[in-house]
Amino acid sequence: MPKRIPSKTSDFRTLIRDNGYYVDKTQFIEKLENISDKYLFFLRPRRFGKSLFLSVLEYYYGIQYKNEFETLFGEYYIGGKPTPLKSTNHILKFNFSGIDSSSEENIRSSFFTEVLSGIKEFLNQYNIGTGSDKDYLSSLTDTNSLLREFMVIVRKYNSEIKLFVLIDEYDHFTNEVFAFDKEKFSEMVSQNGWVRKFYETIKIYMGEGIIDRFFATGVTPVTLDSLTSGFNVAKNITLEESFHDIAGFTESEVTLLMNDTLGGEQSSLNTRLLPDMRNWFNGSKFSAKITHKLYNPQLIVNFLSSYSQNNQYPDEMADYSIISDRKKIAQILDKLPSEMGESIIEELYINESISGGLTLQFIPELPYSKSDAISLLFYNGLITIDKMTAGIYRYVIPNYVIKEIYWEYLRIQYDLKYNLKLDLNYLNDVFTEMAFEGTVNNLVKKVSDVMQILSNNDFRSFNESSLKMIVISVLSANPIFMIHSEAEVSSGRVDLLLTRNKAFDARFQYLFEFKYVRVKDEKDFETVKNEGIQQIKRYRESIQLESEENLKSYLILFHNKFEGVITEV
């Protein structure tokens, strides 16, 4: 019986019972046991499969699931090579993704409630403690006292017990606090902070042997580094090659997933879908030494679920929860001086890459730096490692979905700063003309309208990159075209290449070269124009597209501040 495209569940048993396809990550159970460290942190961006892997660990090690082992794991790697520790632990799990971070009081209350909920679930699951024991725990108001008293009860009923502590999104609420109130964050994780005390209590019971294993997931090391001195028994395996693929799909895993759920000829699926899926969803890399890239699991599952219904591409290749990550960009960059944040965005917008270090330890007492911001963009999946040279990382935007997030972010920034309304109602005539008539008059008119709002101060540093950012912001309001900035061809890099999005029916594709002539350089207008025309001719001769049908080439040159001149080549 063919497997079903997996649902978004993060519960491994539910996935298996529903005959959902599971991308087999169980070989990492063996790898994790083969290292000497038993207390581990693993960081990845949101929606990358961390919670499902935690669930796999729960069902594999949980002593209560011993009789289900063959049903759950029989057809996967670990089912054929079980380790000695299978079904030997009592599982204590916490999920901090839902902590209310709106105020310090709500954070503490919500954190306590989650810890109490995890403890109660444990006591009920393993039939430990009396009703009065549970009432006593519920009467406590301090998380660390709660954890200590819980351990006393557990040890009273079973002195030989071995706990495996699983924590999902350990840093979710502290990351929110770090973004908005660094002082409050420092108080929470400092030597006397209540979050740090929680992990120090866990460490005590690791030392006593009650907590035998520990695995926590999160997104950034901001909180982890602040806890280091109080919780120095845990190892961060985030950047290690051996564990790179615990979360995320490799391309071979994606092809197997398609073959086992969609049916049909594998070669046909690869030919039809993989190139576009690679462009939209692939590209993440979390170690400079790794050569392959990972697909975002949630995006893959969403796309295949939609495609399987009628064998057609969905109108929206990304879901709303991904696009909403633009708020995360703002949180990361708004902590920098405005010019520094704008320089990061411009570099990513124009080059789709940026170079910098990688902050491994965030120290709250030190000033927040550009390197810190770039590193947080990396940990959140908004840029990814391309390569490292002499200790300097080159980061790139991983895929087209993340590009759309940056475009949405910049459109909103323009709207806030200049009160622009770059929405589809305003821009409808631009896309209609470009898609079906092959001309760009309305596009240039809209760009000119935007430029007329700019101040004299804005024009002091205005250049071709600035012009290009405005054009991309206009074009990205509608997904009808695929936007390729600095597309590489044998004769150089094309300023902008627009190709068809297969979900839509546009007739034309576009190649653009942009030029901007300052008022003081107006005498050079014809020279700059001719240079642009020659560049486009070279690009046309060397460009290789899947289909060059109806490829229109334009030089768009602005002068006299906001006067646009269009030359078709």
Side-chain angles (χ1 to χ4, degrees), residues 196-242:
R196 179 157 163 174
K197 291 293 184 184
F198 172 77
Y199 286 96
E200 287 178 348
T201 303
I202 289 179
K203 178 184 174 182
I204 290 171
Y205 292 101
M206 289 174 172
E208 294 185 8
I210 299 175
I211 297 178
D212 184 55
R213 304 185 75 81
F214 173 96
F215 195 97
T217 70
V219 175
T220 82
V222 169
T223 310
L224 176 61
D225 293 325
S226 300
L227 298 173
T228 298
S229 59
F231 197 62
N232 55 4
V233 293
K235 179 180 177 64
N236 181 2
I237 61 172
T238 299
L239 303 177
E240 295 195 7
E241 298 170 68
S242 301

Side-chain angles (χ1 to χ4, degrees), residues 20-273:
Y21 187 93
Y22 171 64
V23 174
D24 191 359
K25 301 291 185 179
T26 61
Q27 70 271 23
F28 291 104
I29 293 175
E30 182 180 66
K31 289 183 178 181
L32 289 170
E33 285 192 22
N34 285 339
I35 62 176
S36 58
D37 301 276
K38 298 195 298 181
Y39 314 126
L40 304 169
F41 281 91
F42 179 72
L43 310 178
R44 282 294 182 270
R46 293 192 307 135
R47 299 172 300 270
F48 232 81
K50 303 186 299 291
S51 298
L52 181 57
F53 186 73
L54 275 186
S55 181
V56 170
L57 295 180
E58 176 188 354
Y59 287 106
Y60 182 79
Y61 288 101
I63 195 169
Q64 70 272 33
Y65 305 117
K66 185 175 183 179
N67 294 334
E68 297 182 59
F69 181 82
E70 184 60 31
T71 300
L72 294 174
F73 295 99
E75 64 180 284
Y76 301 109
Y77 174 89
I78 206 69
K81 295 184 64 178
T83 66
L85 296 180
K86 80 174 179 71
S87 307
T88 58
N89 289 120
H90 291 67
I91 307 297
L92 175 62
K93 58 181 181 178
F94 306 112
N95 184 342
F96 295 143
S97 64
I99 301 295
D100 180 357
S101 58
S102 59
S103 70
E104 184 173 4
E105 181 181 350
N106 288 345
I107 292 172
R108 294 190 72 147
S109 173
S110 188
F111 186 83
F112 179 87
T113 299
E114 176 53 40
V115 174
L116 179 61
S117 176
I119 284 174
K120 284 184 173 180
E121 181 180 347
F122 178 94
L123 296 176
N124 292 333
Q125 180 83 63
Y126 298 106
N127 196 27
I128 293 175
T130 64
S132 59
D133 288 328
K134 296 170 187 176
D135 290 341
Y136 170 64
L137 292 175
S138 297
S139 72
L140 300 174
T141 58
D142 173 72
T143 304
N144 300 310
S145 298
L146 171 63
L147 194 56
R148 288 173 182 270
E149 293 301 316
F150 161 72
M151 292 296 181
V152 170
I153 292 171
V154 167
R155 189 157 42 186
K156 180 175 69 174
Y157 283 89
N158 185 344
S159 60
E160 301 299 320
I161 199 167
K162 298 292 184 183
L163 302 187
F164 194 149
V165 176
L166 300 173
I167 300 181
D168 201 7
E169 302 292 352
Y170 90 99
D171 61 337
H172 179 77
F173 65 100
T174 46
N175 282 344
E176 292 293 312
V177 176
F178 180 81
F180 295 109
D181 194 332
K182 198 172 179 182
E183 184 176 340
K184 184 185 294 183
F185 171 84
S186 297
E187 291 174 1
M188 291 167 56
V189 300
S190 65
Q191 187 170 357
N192 296 314
W194 58 271
V195 173
R196 179 157 163 174
K197 291 293 184 184
F198 172 77
Y199 286 96
E200 287 178 348
T201 303
I202 289 179
K203 178 184 174 182
I204 290 171
Y205 292 101
M206 289 174 172
E208 294 185 8
I210 299 175
I211 297 178
D212 184 55
R213 304 185 75 81
F214 173 96
F215 195 97
T217 70
V219 175
T220 82
V222 169
T223 310
L224 176 61
D225 293 325
S226 300
L227 298 173
T228 298
S229 59
F231 197 62
N232 55 4
V233 293
K235 179 180 177 64
N236 181 2
I237 61 172
T238 299
L239 303 177
E240 295 195 7
E241 298 170 68
S242 301
F243 304 112
H244 183 267
D245 298 348
I246 284 180
F249 294 166
T250 65
E251 185 152 303
S252 61
E253 289 171 339
V254 170
T255 57
L256 287 173
L257 166 61
M258 288 194 297
N259 187 53
D260 292 345
T261 58
L262 296 182
E265 290 295 326
Q266 183 66 51
S267 59
S268 175
L269 289 172
N270 289 352
T271 301
R272 285 186 287 118
L273 301 184

